[in-house]
Amino acid sequence: MGEEVTFHGMWASPFSRRVELALKLKAIPYQYIEEDLSNKTPSLLRYNPVHKKVPVLVHNDKPVAESMVIIEYMDETWENNPFLPRDPYERAMARFYAKFIDDKLLPTLAKLGQTAGKEKEETIEEIHEQLKVLEDELKGKQFFGGQRIGFLDVVAMILVWLHLAGSITGQKVLSTEKFPLIYEWIERVMKMEVVNECLIPEKKRQDWIQLAQKAPKSASN
Amino acid sequence: MAGELVLLDFWPSPFGMRSRIALAEKGIPYEYREEDLRNKSDLLLQMNPVHKKIPVLIHNGKPVCESVIQVQYIDEVWHDKAPLIPSDPYQRAVARFWVDFIDKKIYELGSKIWKTKGEEQANAKKEFIECLKLLEGELGDKTYFGGESLGYVDVALVPFYSWFYAYEKCGDFSIEAECPKMIAWVKRCMQKESVAKSLPDQEKVYEFILHLKKVFGIE
C-alpha cells in the first residue's frame, strides 16, 4: 500500500518502541517524530486530544492511539508478516497475555523503582509471580507466537528491557535460574537486528535508568 | 461452532454484562452460572488461575478471560450474526480506542464516586462527567456508537448504566442533567431485548452498593 505513515514516539517509552518494532517487522516505511514529553508538538495534541500521549501512528492523516490498538490496526492493514494467529481462540490467548503484561506486569515494574526495604521485597515477589505466568506460556515454544515472532512477543519486549535494566543496576529481578525459558527467549530475540534497533541505545541506558526511577507512571506520559 | 458455552459471572458486574449482551445479540444459547465472589468455585479458579475473576467464558471446555477479549472472541467465532466490531480496520481501531478509554476511566471513576467523599469524590464526579461528555462527542448524531446497529463500544459502555443510579445517589448529582445525549443513547439501547435482559435493575445495584459500603465500613 503506497501510503503516508508518520509515527510520534519517544525513545524511552516501551509502548512507543514496541510500535516501532512492529513497523520494522512489517517493513512499513514511516516518518518518525521524536516527542519531547515536556513540550509536545501541536500535531501530537491534535492527533491524540484525549490522552495527549505517545505512541500515535498517523496513516494517511488518520490517527491511531494506544500501542495495542495501533499494532492490531497495523496487522489488519498490512497483511505481510502477520502478528496475530488466525484462530479466534489463539487470538484470544495472545490478547489475554498481552493485556496481562500491560495491566499487571508493567505497573508492578513501575512501582519497583519507588519502593524500598520490605515493600520492595514484596514487589519483587509479585513480579516473580507475574513472570512465572509468562514463563509457563513459553513452554514448548520458540517464541510466544510459536515458531515465529508474533503479537505477544512484540508486547513482551519489556522483558528484554527488564534484563537490560538488571545488567545496569546489578539488581536482577529476572534470574536465569527461576526463568530459564524467558532467558532463552531473550537471547533468541536479541539476535534479531530489528529488535536491537528498538531497544534503548547503549549510550543512553544510564539516562534511561535514572528516568525510569524518577517517573512512577509510564514514560509515555 | 456452537458447542458448549458457559459464562461464569456475577450479576452486578458490568464486565459480565458485556458478554451477556454480545451473546444475546447473536442469539447464542449458553449456560449462565452465578459465582459467589466470597467463595469462588473450583471451576472459576481452574479456568482463570491468573486473575481468579469473572467473567469467564468457557467454550468447549476452553476458557476466555477478560470481557473485551470475550466480546471480540464471540464476534470472531459467530461473525455471521449481528457483527459488533466494524469490518474496516480504521473504524475498528477507533472502536478499540474508545473501549480502551472506557476501561481505563469509567469503572475506576465510578468506584471513586461511591467509595469516597469530599474533595476526592468531587474530583471523581467532575472527571466522570468529562469522560461521558467525550463519549457523547464520539457518539455525535449516530443512533449507536456502532452506527445504525449496536456495536463494540455500545456493548462495552451500556452496562455501566445499571450503576448510574447508585453513582447518582452516592454522589448526589444527576447524570442526565449533565449528559442528556448519553442518557438518550442509553434509552435507545435499553429498547433492545439483548441489553434490557442483560442489565440488572438499577435499584438492586444501588442496594448492593449500600451493602458493600457497610461491609467495607465506608460511610
Side-chain angles (χ1 to χ4, degrees):
Chain A
M1 285 176 104
E3 320 277 326
E4 201 185 291
V5 177
T6 316
F7 173 59
H8 294 252
M10 194 267 178
W11 66 273
S13 160
F15 304 99
S16 175
R17 302 315 295 268
R18 69 164 65 137
V19 172
E20 248 186 274
L21 176 59
L23 283 162
K24 288 178 194 278
L25 284 167
K26 287 204 182 256
I28 299 165
Y30 63 96
Q31 190 205 350
Y32 180 69
I33 295 166
E34 177 70 35
E35 288 284 341
D36 172 358
L37 299 183
S38 59
N39 187 19
K40 294 170 183 176
T41 64
S43 23
L44 176 66
L45 301 176
R46 182 163 47 98
Y47 286 131
N48 191 2
V50 174
H51 299 301
K52 305 175 175 51
K53 287 185 181 185
V54 292
V56 175
L57 186 84
V58 187
H59 182 206
N60 292 336
D61 212 38
K62 293 188 293 189
V64 184
E66 294 301 313
S67 64
M68 304 261 235
V69 177
I70 297 171
I71 296 171
E72 289 219 35
Y73 172 74
M74 283 167 57
D75 212 30
E76 289 163 7
T77 309
W78 289 273
E79 288 170 3
N80 62 318
N81 252 347
F83 296 141
L84 276 168
R86 282 184 191 273
D87 173 69
Y89 190 75
E90 286 176 41
R91 290 159 77 87
M93 287 296 101
R95 286 173 178 145
F96 174 81
Y97 288 107
K99 196 170 198 299
F100 173 78
I101 289 171
D102 274 9
D103 289 356
K104 296 283 176 194
L105 181 62
L106 275 167
T108 319
L109 289 174
K111 223 173 44 176
L112 189 61
Q114 314 305 309
T115 57
K118 188 165 184 288
E119 210 193 329
K120 195 179 195 97
E121 276 172 39
E122 285 169 0
T123 308
I124 292 176
E125 203 35 64
E126 216 183 318
I127 294 171
H128 283 172
E129 280 168 22
Q130 291 165 353
L131 289 174
K132 175 102 189 10
V133 172
L134 297 172
E135 174 82 6
D136 288 347
E137 191 46 26
L138 275 171
K139 280 186 185 147
K141 296 199 278 201
Q142 295 274 299
F143 299 98
F144 287 103
Q147 290 299 101
R148 35 187 294 280
I149 206 170
F151 181 71
L152 186 51
D153 298 273
V154 172
V155 176
M157 285 297 154
I158 191 64
L159 297 170
V160 180
W161 292 46
L162 184 57
H163 160 69
L164 288 177
S167 313
I168 297 167
T169 62
Q171 203 176 68
K172 290 200 186 260
V173 174
L174 188 58
S175 77
T176 25
E177 300 81 42
K178 278 200 164 100
F179 308 107
L181 296 177
I182 291 180
Y183 252 99
E184 277 172 33
W185 174 83
I186 290 173
E187 281 180 352
R188 206 169 282 131
V189 299
M190 281 186 80
K191 288 199 177 102
M192 298 173 69
E193 202 181 318
V194 283
V195 169
N196 282 293
E197 284 171 15
C198 298
L199 296 174
I200 310 284
E202 272 196 67
K203 58 185 182 204
K204 281 186 134 172
R205 282 177 196 173
Q206 283 291 354
D207 291 340
W208 163 59
I209 294 291
Q210 280 165 19
L211 198 75
Q213 281 169 345
K214 266 195 217 129
K217 292 185 188 172
S218 71
S220 45
N221 277 0
Chain B
M1 209 158 69
E4 192 191 273
L5 257 184
V6 178
L7 182 67
L8 304 181
D9 202 347
F10 178 51
W11 68 269
S13 163
F15 305 102
M17 288 174 220
R18 290 168 169 177
S19 299
R20 289 176 225 166
I21 296 171
L23 290 165
E25 268 294 288
K26 291 171 186 278
I28 303 159
Y30 67 98
E31 185 196 336
Y32 178 93
R33 280 197 212 170
E34 187 70 29
E35 283 283 335
D36 175 358
L37 298 187
R38 297 157 302 174
N39 187 19
K40 292 174 181 177
S41 69
D42 290 339
L43 183 64
L44 172 57
L45 300 176
Q46 189 201 338
M47 290 285 138
N48 191 359
V50 174
H51 300 298
K52 304 175 176 55
K53 286 185 175 183
I54 56 91
V56 178
L57 184 73
I58 310 172
H59 187 202
N60 293 330
K62 294 193 295 187
V64 180
C65 305
E66 299 296 323
S67 64
V68 293
I69 296 175
Q70 284 163 13
V71 173
Q72 290 185 90
Y73 176 78
I74 291 165
D75 207 47
E76 286 171 17
V77 174
W78 291 275
H79 50 83
D80 46 350
K81 292 187 196 183
L84 297 168
I85 296 172
S87 47
D88 170 68
Y90 188 71
Q91 293 309 318
R92 259 189 228 230
V94 172
R96 285 183 176 134
F97 172 85
W98 287 106
V99 171
D100 176 77
F101 174 80
I102 290 162
D103 267 6
K104 282 182 160 94
K105 302 281 184 183
I106 302 297
Y107 185 71
E108 201 185 302
L109 290 170
S111 294
K112 279 194 179 154
I113 293 173
W114 71 262
K115 283 181 180 171
T116 67
K117 286 231 161 310
E119 202 183 326
E120 204 181 342
Q121 189 192 54
N123 288 338
K125 274 161 59 180
K126 183 167 170 282
E127 211 186 324
F128 182 78
I129 293 296
E130 278 166 14
C131 290
L132 290 187
K133 287 196 162 141
L134 272 172
L135 287 161
E136 280 184 326
E138 175 56 22
L139 178 66
D141 292 322
K142 299 197 293 279
T143 312
Y144 305 102
F145 286 91
E148 286 305 301
S149 56
L150 218 59
Y152 187 37
V153 180
D154 302 275
V155 172
L157 182 60
V158 82
F160 291 99
Y161 172 65
S162 61
W163 286 57
F164 278 10
Y165 179 68
Y167 296 154
E168 285 172 325
K169 292 288 279 187
C170 295
D172 188 29
F173 70 127
S174 160
I175 296 172
E176 184 160 13
E178 306 268 4
C179 305
K181 273 185 100 170
M182 174 100 335
I183 300 302
W185 161 79
V186 164
K187 289 184 174 157
R188 290 194 291 274
C189 291
M190 291 295 281
Q191 303 257 330
K192 308 212 87 191
E193 201 180 336
S194 59
V195 177
K197 288 205 161 153
S198 302
L199 265 57
D201 177 65
Q202 290 195 84
E203 292 259 9
K204 271 190 87 180
V205 173
Y206 178 51
E207 271 164 39
F208 170 69
I209 296 295
L210 290 178
H211 165 75
L212 280 185
K213 284 174 81 140
K214 268 204 200 101
V215 166
F216 292 124
I218 303 168
E219 225 332 271

